[in-house]
């Protein structure tokens, strides 16, 4: 959020030290609320209909609805707004027209690039913040990339790491250097010249980034890296072998 404020002010998009937090001193040193548009869009409906109306939707601890951005191998990609806690299978089958070309579901990247790769074992998980946290997963902004049986998870993780490498601002070395090493490792695996021990090294590097990076960009790469390698390890071993 502070990098966004810096960018708004015309500066390089690097995160600020906190405190002061944006609510105290944000854009142009004025108190600033940085919120997702979806959050702000709920305010008028809650004021109009009341808090109890809002709480009728969703599940305990996660009230209301959630807008999901459905992408990938579904028949009806786009936006859908459903009650918080709706199972992933229901969102795919009932609101996204099911799997495209009747292909088998393989996995989903939930929460955007900084999200978690879920396998078919979690197809019935409830899509709310609390339920996903039980599986070390995140809901994020509600982006769901659905992948069928033909998708190569090595390619998917390579794409995610390439994105993080490009987006790193260079302010701190754990993130900038860590992304560079991860990119080289995943590229080697992608080309078929990687080693099985590279997989554990990638998780270790991402873990160090999580603990030492200045902002959530470097801190969050552990989620896609660890979930992809642990939930779809056979894809990586096939490339290595």
């Amino acid at each position: 959020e502070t990098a966004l404020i810096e960018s708004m002010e015309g500066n390089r998009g690097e995160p600020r030290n906190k405190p002061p937090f944006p609510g105290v001193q944000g854009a142009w040193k004025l108190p600033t609320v940085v919120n997702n548009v979806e959050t702000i869009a709920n305010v008028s409906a809650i004021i109009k209909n009341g808090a109890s109306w809002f709480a009728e939707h969703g599940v305990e601890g996660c009230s209301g609805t959630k807008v999901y951005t459905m992408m990938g191998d579904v028949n009806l990609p786009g936006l859908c707004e459903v009650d918080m806690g709706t199972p992933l299978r229901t969102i795919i089958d009932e609101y996204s027209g099911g799997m495209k070309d009747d292909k088998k579901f393989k996995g989903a990247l939930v929460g955007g690039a900084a999200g978690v790769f879920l396998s078919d074992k979690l197809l019935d998980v409830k899509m709310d913040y609390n339920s996903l946290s039980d599986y070390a997963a995140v809901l994020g902004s509600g982006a769901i990339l659905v992948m069928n049986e033909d998708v190569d998870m090595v390619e998917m993780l390579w794409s995610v790491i390439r994105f993080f490498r490009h987006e790193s601002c260079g302010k701190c070395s754990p993130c900038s250097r860590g992304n560079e090493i991860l990119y080289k490792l995943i590229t080697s695996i992608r080309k078929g010249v990687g080693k099985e021990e590279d997989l554990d090294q990638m998780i270790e590097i991402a873990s160090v980034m999580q603990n030492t990076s200045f902002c959530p960009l470097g801190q969050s790469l552990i989620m896609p890296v660890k979930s992809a390698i642990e939930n779809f390890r056979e894809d990586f071993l096939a490339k290595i072998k």
Side-chain angles (χ1 to χ4, degrees):
E1 59 183 6
T2 55
L4 288 172
I5 291 173
E6 284 288 319
S7 185
M8 284 172 54
E9 294 179 350
N11 304 319
R12 181 181 174 90
E14 294 184 350
R16 297 176 179 175
N17 286 310
K18 294 185 290 187
F21 292 91
V24 177
Q25 183 176 304
W28 296 281
K29 297 186 178 181
L30 298 173
T32 305
V33 174
V34 183
N35 251 320
N36 191 299
V37 173
E38 182 182 13
T39 302
I40 298 172
N42 281 321
V43 173
S44 59
I46 294 172
I47 292 175
K48 179 181 178 181
N49 300 298
S52 58
W53 163 82
F54 188 76
E56 290 175 0
H57 299 274
V59 294
E60 186 177 354
C62 291
S63 300
T65 60
K66 181 68 180 172
V67 176
Y68 297 98
T69 307
M70 301 301 297
M71 303 171 286
D73 299 318
V74 292
N75 285 311
L76 298 174
L79 301 176
C80 66
E81 183 177 7
V82 299
D83 276 15
M84 194 86 78
T86 302
L88 178 58
R89 186 191 300 271
T90 303
I91 295 174
I92 293 174
D93 292 344
E94 296 186 16
Y95 300 100
S96 301
M99 295 296 294
K100 191 175 182 180
D101 300 325
D102 292 323
K103 294 275 189 177
K104 185 180 178 182
F105 174 89
K106 180 173 184 175
L109 177 57
V110 177
V116 170
F117 287 95
L118 300 181
S119 69
D120 56 357
K121 296 178 181 178
L122 293 179
L123 194 50
D124 291 305
V125 67
K126 292 183 178 180
M127 298 299 289
D128 64 81
Y129 296 101
N130 295 337
S131 296
L132 284 171
S133 67
D134 292 338
Y135 301 96
V138 293
L139 188 57
S141 60
I144 301 176
L145 176 59
V146 179
M147 294 163 280
N148 67 30
E149 56 194 307
D150 298 328
V151 171
D152 184 348
M153 287 299 176
V154 176
E155 289 293 317
M156 291 302 304
L157 185 58
W158 176 81
S159 178
V160 168
I161 293 175
R162 181 183 62 170
F163 168 77
F164 272 80
R165 174 175 175 253
H166 179 268
E167 291 298 311
S168 178
C169 73
K171 182 181 179 76
C172 71
S173 58
C175 178
S176 58
R177 183 67 183 134
N179 272 298
E180 195 64 37
I181 298 172
L182 286 173
Y183 182 74
K184 289 181 179 179
L185 288 170
I186 192 65
T187 300
S188 295
I189 294 172
R190 181 174 180 244
K191 292 180 178 179
V193 294
K195 303 182 292 294
E196 186 170 356
E197 51 262 37
D198 291 344
L199 301 177
D200 293 331
Q201 186 181 2
M202 289 178 66
I203 294 176
E204 183 180 356
I205 291 170
S207 179
V208 171
M209 291 171 63
Q210 179 187 25
N211 293 320
T212 58
S213 294
F214 185 81
C215 86
L217 186 85
Q219 295 167 8
S220 59
L221 190 52
I222 182 66
M223 290 188 285
V225 169
K226 187 176 182 180
S227 61
I229 292 174
E230 290 185 348
N231 294 333
F232 302 95
R233 194 175 184 89
E234 290 303 317
D235 281 35
F236 292 85
L237 294 179
K239 274 279 170 62
I240 291 170
K241 294 175 181 177

